[in-house]
Amino acid sequence: MMDTLVITGAQLLGADSADIVVENGIIAEIGSGLSRAGARVIDAQGLVALPGLVDLHTHLREPGYEASETILTGTRAAASGGFTAVFAMPNTSPVADSAGVVEQELALGEAAGYATVQPIGAVTVGQKGERLAELGAMATSRAKVRVFSDDGFCVFDPLIMRRALEYVKSFGGVIAQHAQDPRLTEGAQMNEGVVSAELGLAGWPAVAEESIIARDVLLAEHVGSRLHVCHLSTAGSVDIIRWAKKRGIDVTAEVTPHHLLLTDELVRGYDAKYKVNPPLRREEDVLAVREGLADGTIDIVATDHAPHPSENKACEWQAAANGMVGLESALRVVHQSMVQTGLIGWADVARVMSQAPARIGLLDGHGTPLEAGQPAQITLYDASREGTFTAADLHGRSRNSPYLGRDLPGRVEWTIHHGVVTVESGAVVEELHSCDAPSGRREGK
């Protein structure tokens, strides 16, 4: 049986203080002075209570790249960052382009128990961009896939992109595009601009992202289907999404924590922990994506958690892999870049890091309000805490974080996944009290 929990004095979305009673994985009651005989009491005085965070863009690497991450280690990292659900990108080996692979990922996530793992299916076979993958089979599998992406690669052929948008429309799915024109970014090493010119590194121009987004929002409008833009990173991309939404096109977009905080100036030291795709951009782009997130043009924050073994980063810049780990640091970076700057409040954090990601991914049981009768997906966050982000804050297999040694505010103190405590007083629970929580997967069409 799951523990009955009484959470006392939590600040709901950073506002009113209240007690929360959790029974059988459900929020049973919210009020003041609450108690239950024999319940486990969690003192949450001064802690911000948020609905469990949902990451629409995570690389868990399993199957095939377990040296970088596994579903177990990745979901432990997720829990430590306050996440109760993650969407697993399909660039595994074999690629998650069939019902068998996505069902395997689902089962591994259920066995781990630290967070709900919802597989994302590949758009094309092997992510090669040549022909559509088994979208229908993945959609009707036990994993009930609703998000499809070739992330890491752009679906560059406009005809294949159109066909994919048409196909997923029949079951309410969404295509999540990695917007990168490969012809404009061949050999690119960093953002194209003043810094790349000074360093003599091949540049990744903003137009390579913006041109694909412009094409795809028009395709989505033509087909009448849903489009999601992964890791948007430029001021021009924000403008295109803003235009598309005003036009009524069904498009959503995400920004990563690192694109909210870090700039291409960090590349001057040739430290490969700052090498990522899309690359770190200019200060002007950082300010623009912050504004876009604050005004709702950008719908969500997604980590693009991309673990790599140390040897893939501890090498010369040109040979290093793209990617950063980000699950453990995401909420703290959003706190610093968006909340401390006064751009958004904690209710907005809940929207962009929990409610909207679950809605876009059609994931039931997550992103729900902190109300009686709702699933107990709860993150308790100490917003008053200050500290330096260190390797001790990382709980996955890889250490390629751009924040090591950087001061970041806050800390996740408790994470509760379907009533099961996965993080206790800032530490990941080694053995979960109960693994019989429901999966939280979407059970509809």
Side-chain angles (χ1 to χ4, degrees), residues 176-239:
Q177 175 69 294
H178 174 113
Q180 176 186 358
D181 187 320
R183 299 292 297 278
L184 293 175
T185 57
E186 187 172 351
Q189 294 292 318
M190 66 170 297
N191 178 60
E192 182 178 282
V194 172
V195 179
S196 68
E198 292 178 2
L199 297 180
L201 293 176
W204 200 120
V207 70
E209 174 176 301
E210 295 157 5
S211 60
I212 296 295
I213 295 174
R215 180 201 76 176
D216 286 352
V217 295
L218 292 175
L219 283 173
E221 180 182 44
H222 179 71
V223 172
S225 189
R226 291 203 300 146
L227 171 72
H228 179 74
V229 178
C230 296
H231 42 51
L232 180 152
S233 67
T234 77
S237 295
V238 176
D239 289 339

Side-chain angles (χ1 to χ4, degrees), residues 206-391:
V207 70
E209 174 176 301
E210 295 157 5
S211 60
I212 296 295
I213 295 174
R215 180 201 76 176
D216 286 352
V217 295
L218 292 175
L219 283 173
E221 180 182 44
H222 179 71
V223 172
S225 189
R226 291 203 300 146
L227 171 72
H228 179 74
V229 178
C230 296
H231 42 51
L232 180 152
S233 67
T234 77
S237 295
V238 176
D239 289 339
I240 295 167
I241 297 296
R242 187 175 286 122
W243 171 86
K245 288 190 170 184
K246 288 181 180 178
R247 192 176 170 93
I249 299 172
D250 196 354
V251 59
T252 54
E254 70 189 34
V255 64
T256 70
H258 47 272
H259 286 116
L260 289 170
L261 186 64
L262 309 177
T263 74
D264 61 356
E265 290 290 335
L266 292 166
V267 180
R268 291 186 183 278
Y270 295 101
D271 188 336
K273 71 183 180 184
Y274 298 118
K275 187 176 182 182
V276 66
N277 184 3
L280 300 180
R281 302 292 190 180
R282 307 166 302 158
E283 179 70 19
E284 299 96 307
D285 295 305
V286 170
L287 295 177
V289 296
R290 287 184 184 181
E291 179 184 353
L293 184 64
D295 69 18
T297 300
I298 299 173
D299 300 84
I300 66 171
V301 175
T303 70
D304 195 6
H305 176 82
H308 291 291
S310 59
E311 60 267 24
N312 289 359
K313 283 290 190 177
C315 56
E316 64 180 13
W317 179 273
Q318 287 88 340
N322 286 305
M324 305 167 169
V325 293
L327 286 166
E328 298 97 333
S329 51
L331 182 54
R332 297 171 68 177
V333 173
V334 171
H335 181 186
Q336 184 175 82
S337 62
M338 298 299 295
V339 179
Q340 287 188 334
T341 55
L343 291 170
I344 64 174
W346 290 111
D348 299 306
V349 172
R351 172 175 53 83
V352 302
M353 296 190 75
S354 179
Q355 295 155 0
R359 173 181 54 80
I360 293 168
L362 299 176
L363 187 65
D364 283 348
H366 290 272
T368 53
L370 296 176
E371 296 175 355
Q374 298 290 350
Q377 314 284 5
I378 303 170
T379 299
L380 299 175
Y381 181 72
D382 186 353
S384 66
R385 193 181 183 99
E386 298 288 339
T388 301
F389 193 82
T390 70

Side-chain angles (χ1 to χ4, degrees), residues 55-62 68-71 74 86-92 127 149-152 178 231 277 303-307 323-325 327:
D55 187 14
L56 197 66
H57 192 145
T58 305
H59 297 275
L60 294 180
R61 303 303 192 202
E62 188 176 12
S68 300
E69 195 76 283
T70 68
I71 288 175
V86 294
F87 284 73
M89 280 294 177
N91 56 335
T92 51
Q127 295 185 295
S149 180
D150 274 359
D151 183 61
H178 174 113
H231 42 51
N277 184 3
T303 70
D304 195 6
H305 176 82
M324 305 167 169
V325 293
L327 286 166

